Amino acid sequence: MSVLPIVIWDDPVLRKRAEPVSANSEELQALIDDMFETMYNASGVGLAAPQIGKSIRLFVMDAGPVLEEEETDRGPTVLMNPVIVDHSEEEAKMEEGCLSIPDIRDDVSRPVSIRIRFLDRTFQEQEWDLDSWPARIVQHELDHLDGVLFTDHLSAFRRRVHRSRLSKLERGVMDVDYPVSLKGRTEIG
Ligand code: NI
């Protein structure tokens, strides 16, 4: 397994609509293992394939570190071709960050609970009801598969607040302790 560089925010791959995963392969399973290693190395709770430069509809997550004690810990999970089939009317604001947008966090409003249908890493169809942080992570990562970043959900005012930090990211100025890819150039954080 290896740690892959994480693509930083103004790379076009983060803005593309990713293609469905169609077939299992040794390469796909190895990619999934590498994505888990990359996510854990960066202390993340979710990582979508476009963030390591692969424009396919796949993400990995492990909500363990952010769960409350009474919440179900589903452990390391792979979601392929995920679809939100239902969601609550109720929305809540929670503070999000993104491994592709280091040094920036902000409150994002999203539905509190969702029902998600997806293929697991053995290509079995699953349907899960999620709320709280697991629902939040799934919605954030699913956005990545559609070329959407959490900053897109912010008001014009909040985006202006972050503008100088975002332009620093574009210049490669950031405080990270994981490998990143800047416009195709790999650097070790
Ligand atoms: Ni993200």
Coordinates of all heavy atoms in Angstrom, one line a residue, residues 18-58:
A18 N -17.4 12.9 -12.1 CA -16.7 11.6 -12.2 C -17.5 10.5 -12.8 O -18.7 10.6 -12.8 CB -16.2 11.2 -10.8
E19 N -16.8 9.6 -13.4 CA -17.5 8.5 -14.2 C -17.8 7.3 -13.2 O -17.1 7.0 -12.3 CB -16.5 7.9 -15.3 CG -16.2 8.9 -16.3 CD -17.4 9.3 -17.2 OE1 -18.3 8.4 -17.4 OE2 -17.5 10.5 -17.6
P20 N -19.0 6.6 -13.5 CA -19.3 5.5 -12.7 C -18.2 4.4 -12.7 O -17.5 4.3 -13.7 CB -20.6 4.9 -13.3 CG -21.2 6.1 -14.1 CD -20.0 6.9 -14.5
V21 N -18.1 3.7 -11.6 CA -17.2 2.5 -11.5 C -18.0 1.4 -12.2 O -19.1 1.1 -11.8 CB -16.9 2.2 -10.1 CG1 -16.0 0.9 -10.0 CG2 -16.2 3.3 -9.3
S22 N -17.3 0.7 -13.2 CA -18.1 -0.3 -13.9 C -17.7 -1.7 -13.6 O -18.5 -2.6 -13.6 CB -18.0 0.0 -15.4 OG -16.6 0.1 -15.8
A23 N -16.4 -1.9 -13.3 CA -15.9 -3.3 -13.1 C -14.9 -3.4 -12.0 O -14.1 -2.5 -11.8 CB -15.3 -3.8 -14.4
N24 N -14.9 -4.6 -11.4 CA -13.9 -4.8 -10.3 C -12.6 -5.2 -11.0 O -12.6 -5.7 -12.1 CB -14.4 -5.9 -9.4 CG -13.8 -5.9 -8.0 OD1 -12.8 -5.1 -7.8 ND2 -14.2 -6.7 -7.1
S25 N -11.5 -5.0 -10.3 CA -10.2 -5.4 -10.8 C -9.2 -5.3 -9.7 O -9.5 -4.7 -8.6 CB -9.7 -4.4 -11.9 OG -9.5 -3.1 -11.4
E26 N -8.1 -6.0 -9.9 CA -7.0 -5.9 -8.9 C -6.5 -4.5 -8.7 O -6.2 -4.1 -7.6 CB -5.8 -6.8 -9.3 CG -6.0 -8.2 -8.9 CD -4.7 -9.0 -9.3 OE1 -3.6 -8.5 -9.3 OE2 -4.9 -10.2 -9.6
E27 N -6.5 -3.7 -9.8 CA -6.1 -2.3 -9.7 C -7.0 -1.5 -8.9 O -6.6 -0.7 -8.1 CB -6.0 -1.7 -11.1 CG -4.9 -2.2 -12.0 CD -5.1 -3.6 -12.6 OE1 -6.3 -4.1 -12.6 OE2 -4.2 -4.3 -13.1
L28 N -8.3 -1.8 -9.0 CA -9.3 -1.0 -8.3 C -9.2 -1.3 -6.8 O -9.2 -0.4 -5.9 CB -10.7 -1.4 -8.7 CG -11.9 -0.6 -8.0 CD1 -11.9 0.8 -8.5 CD2 -13.2 -1.3 -8.2
Q29 N -9.0 -2.6 -6.4 CA -8.9 -3.0 -5.0 C -7.6 -2.4 -4.4 O -7.6 -1.9 -3.3 CB -8.9 -4.5 -4.9 CG -10.2 -5.2 -5.3 CD -11.4 -4.7 -4.4 OE1 -11.2 -4.5 -3.2 NE2 -12.5 -4.5 -5.0
A30 N -6.5 -2.3 -5.2 CA -5.3 -1.7 -4.8 C -5.4 -0.2 -4.6 O -4.9 0.3 -3.6 CB -4.1 -2.0 -5.8
L31 N -6.2 0.4 -5.5 CA -6.5 1.8 -5.4 C -7.2 2.1 -4.1 O -6.9 3.1 -3.3 CB -7.3 2.3 -6.6 CG -7.7 3.8 -6.5 CD1 -6.5 4.7 -6.8 CD2 -8.8 4.1 -7.5
I32 N -8.2 1.3 -3.8 CA -9.0 1.4 -2.5 C -8.1 1.4 -1.3 O -8.2 2.2 -0.4 CB -10.1 0.4 -2.5 CG1 -11.2 0.7 -3.5 CG2 -10.8 0.4 -1.1 CD1 -12.2 -0.4 -3.8
D33 N -7.2 0.4 -1.3 CA -6.3 0.2 -0.2 C -5.4 1.5 0.0 O -5.2 2.0 1.1 CB -5.4 -1.0 -0.4 CG -6.1 -2.3 -0.2 OD1 -7.2 -2.3 0.5 OD2 -5.7 -3.3 -0.7
D34 N -4.9 2.0 -1.2 CA -4.1 3.2 -1.2 C -4.9 4.4 -0.7 O -4.3 5.3 0.0 CB -3.5 3.5 -2.6 CG -2.4 2.5 -3.0 OD1 -1.9 1.8 -2.1 OD2 -2.1 2.5 -4.2
M35 N -6.1 4.5 -1.1 CA -7.0 5.6 -0.6 C -7.2 5.6 0.9 O -7.1 6.6 1.5 CB -8.3 5.6 -1.4 CG -8.1 6.1 -2.8 SD -9.7 6.1 -3.7 CE -10.7 7.3 -2.8
F36 N -7.4 4.4 1.5 CA -7.5 4.3 2.9 C -6.2 4.8 3.6 O -6.2 5.6 4.5 CB -7.8 2.9 3.4 CG -9.3 2.6 3.4 CD1 -9.8 1.6 2.6 CD2 -10.2 3.3 4.2 CE1 -11.2 1.4 2.5 CE2 -11.6 3.0 4.2 CZ -12.1 2.1 3.4
E37 N -5.1 4.3 3.0 CA -3.8 4.7 3.6 C -3.6 6.2 3.5 O -3.1 6.8 4.5 CB -2.6 3.9 3.0 CG -1.3 4.2 3.6 CD -0.3 3.0 3.5 OE1 -0.8 1.9 3.2 OE2 0.9 3.3 3.7
T38 N -3.9 6.7 2.4 CA -3.8 8.2 2.1 C -4.7 9.0 3.1 O -4.2 10.0 3.7 CB -4.2 8.5 0.7 OG1 -3.3 7.7 -0.2 CG2 -4.0 10.0 0.4
M39 N -5.9 8.5 3.3 CA -6.9 9.2 4.2 C -6.4 9.2 5.6 O -6.3 10.2 6.3 CB -8.2 8.5 4.1 CG -9.3 9.2 5.0 SD -10.9 8.3 4.9 CE -10.6 6.9 5.9
Y40 N -5.9 8.0 6.1 CA -5.5 7.9 7.5 C -4.2 8.7 7.7 O -4.0 9.3 8.7 CB -5.3 6.4 7.9 CG -6.6 5.6 8.0 CD1 -6.7 4.4 7.3 CD2 -7.6 6.1 8.8 CE1 -7.9 3.7 7.4 CE2 -8.8 5.3 8.9 CZ -8.9 4.1 8.2 OH -10.1 3.4 8.3
N41 N -3.3 8.7 6.7 CA -2.1 9.4 6.8 C -2.3 10.9 7.0 O -1.5 11.6 7.7 CB -1.2 9.2 5.6 CG 0.1 9.9 5.6 OD1 1.0 9.7 6.5 ND2 0.2 10.9 4.8
A42 N -3.4 11.4 6.4 CA -3.7 12.8 6.5 C -4.7 13.1 7.6 O -5.3 14.2 7.7 CB -4.3 13.3 5.1
S43 N -5.0 12.1 8.5 CA -6.0 12.2 9.6 C -7.4 12.7 9.1 O -8.0 13.4 9.7 CB -5.5 13.2 10.6 OG -4.2 12.8 11.1
G44 N -7.7 12.2 7.9 CA -9.1 12.5 7.3 C -10.1 11.5 7.7 O -9.7 10.3 8.1
V45 N -11.4 11.8 7.6 CA -12.5 10.9 7.8 C -13.2 10.5 6.5 O -14.1 9.6 6.5 CB -13.5 11.4 8.8 CG1 -12.8 11.5 10.2 CG2 -14.0 12.8 8.4
G46 N -12.8 11.1 5.4 CA -13.3 10.7 4.1 C -12.3 11.2 3.0 O -11.6 12.1 3.2
L47 N -12.3 10.4 1.9 CA -11.5 10.8 0.8 C -12.1 10.3 -0.5 O -12.4 9.1 -0.6 CB -10.1 10.2 0.9 CG -9.1 10.5 -0.2 CD1 -8.6 12.0 -0.1 CD2 -7.9 9.6 -0.2
A48 N -12.3 11.2 -1.5 CA -13.0 10.8 -2.7 C -11.9 10.6 -3.8 O -10.9 11.3 -3.8 CB -14.0 11.9 -3.1
A49 N -12.2 9.7 -4.8 CA -11.2 9.4 -5.8 C -10.7 10.6 -6.6 O -9.5 10.7 -6.9 CB -11.8 8.4 -6.8
P50 N -11.5 11.6 -6.9 CA -11.0 12.8 -7.6 C -9.9 13.5 -6.8 O -9.0 14.1 -7.4 CB -12.2 13.7 -7.8 CG -13.4 12.8 -7.8 CD -13.0 11.7 -6.8
Q51 N -9.9 13.4 -5.5 CA -8.9 14.0 -4.6 C -7.5 13.4 -4.8 O -6.5 13.9 -4.3 CB -9.3 14.0 -3.2 CG -10.5 14.8 -2.9 CD -10.8 14.8 -1.4 OE1 -11.5 13.9 -0.9 NE2 -10.3 15.8 -0.7
I52 N -7.4 12.1 -5.4 CA -6.1 11.6 -5.7 C -6.0 11.5 -7.2 O -5.2 10.7 -7.7 CB -5.9 10.2 -5.0 CG1 -7.1 9.3 -5.0 CG2 -5.6 10.5 -3.5 CD1 -7.0 8.3 -6.2
G53 N -6.8 12.3 -7.9 CA -6.6 12.4 -9.4 C -7.4 11.4 -10.2 O -7.2 11.4 -11.4
K54 N -8.2 10.6 -9.6 CA -9.0 9.6 -10.4 C -10.4 10.0 -10.5 O -11.1 10.1 -9.4 CB -8.9 8.2 -9.7 CG -7.5 7.7 -9.5 CD -7.1 6.9 -10.7 CE -5.8 6.2 -10.5 NZ -5.0 6.2 -11.7
S55 N -10.9 10.3 -11.7 CA -12.2 10.8 -11.8 C -13.3 9.7 -12.0 O -13.9 9.5 -13.0 CB -12.3 11.7 -13.1 OG -13.5 12.5 -13.0
I56 N -13.4 8.9 -10.9 CA -14.4 7.8 -10.8 C -15.2 8.0 -9.5 O -14.8 8.6 -8.6 CB -13.7 6.4 -10.8 CG1 -12.7 6.3 -9.6 CG2 -13.1 6.2 -12.1 CD1 -12.2 4.9 -9.5
R57 N -16.5 7.4 -9.6 CA -17.4 7.6 -8.5 C -17.2 6.7 -7.4 O -17.9 5.7 -7.2 CB -18.9 7.5 -9.1 CG -19.1 8.6 -10.2 CD -20.5 8.6 -10.6 NE -21.4 9.4 -9.7 CZ -21.4 10.7 -9.6 NH1 -20.6 11.4 -10.3 NH2 -22.1 11.3 -8.7
L58 N -16.2 7.0 -6.6 CA -15.8 6.1 -5.5 C -15.3 7.0 -4.3 O -14.5 7.9 -4.6 CB -14.7 5.2 -6.0 CG -14.1 4.1 -5.0 CD1 -13.5 3.0 -5.9 CD2 -13.0 4.7 -4.1

